[in-house]
Amino acid sequence: MTAHSPTAGEGCGLSLRQSLLLRCTAEHLRARQDGGGDGQANIAAACAHCNALRHRARDPLSPLAFAAHVQHR
């Protein structure tokens, strides 16, 4: 996961597409629309790829399970 510009991955042998998928995003564990806030306990750093997949899943991971998944990766 990278917090730098998308082109920063080029020095590591990553394509622009790969760099975009691995960029760091702030993921709300419990969505704001579901009562989650912007506090530190409700935010996890996740790569854009994991963040997008979580929202596309038929049965998305619970906030705690997603936090554990991100920590493991």
Side-chain angles (χ1 to χ4, degrees), residues 9-15 18:
E10 291 175 354
C12 300
L14 297 175
S15 69
Q18 290 170 321

Side-chain angles (χ1 to χ4, degrees), residues 1-72:
M1 191 165 43
T2 179
H4 302 289
S5 70
T7 58
E10 291 175 354
C12 300
L14 297 175
S15 69
L16 178 59
R17 184 172 188 272
Q18 290 170 321
S19 291
L20 289 172
L21 288 174
L22 295 175
R23 76 184 183 282
C24 183
T25 63
E27 168 65 1
H28 286 84
L29 298 174
R30 181 172 306 280
R32 285 182 278 186
Q33 68 188 23
D34 296 332
D38 291 331
Q40 183 177 358
N42 192 45
I43 303 289
C47 68
H49 177 72
C50 288
N51 194 340
L53 288 181
R54 178 179 184 214
H55 297 288
R56 291 184 197 149
R58 277 187 280 158
D59 190 21
L61 294 174
S62 71
L64 289 176
F66 185 74
H69 170 74
V70 168
Q71 184 67 33
H72 173 74

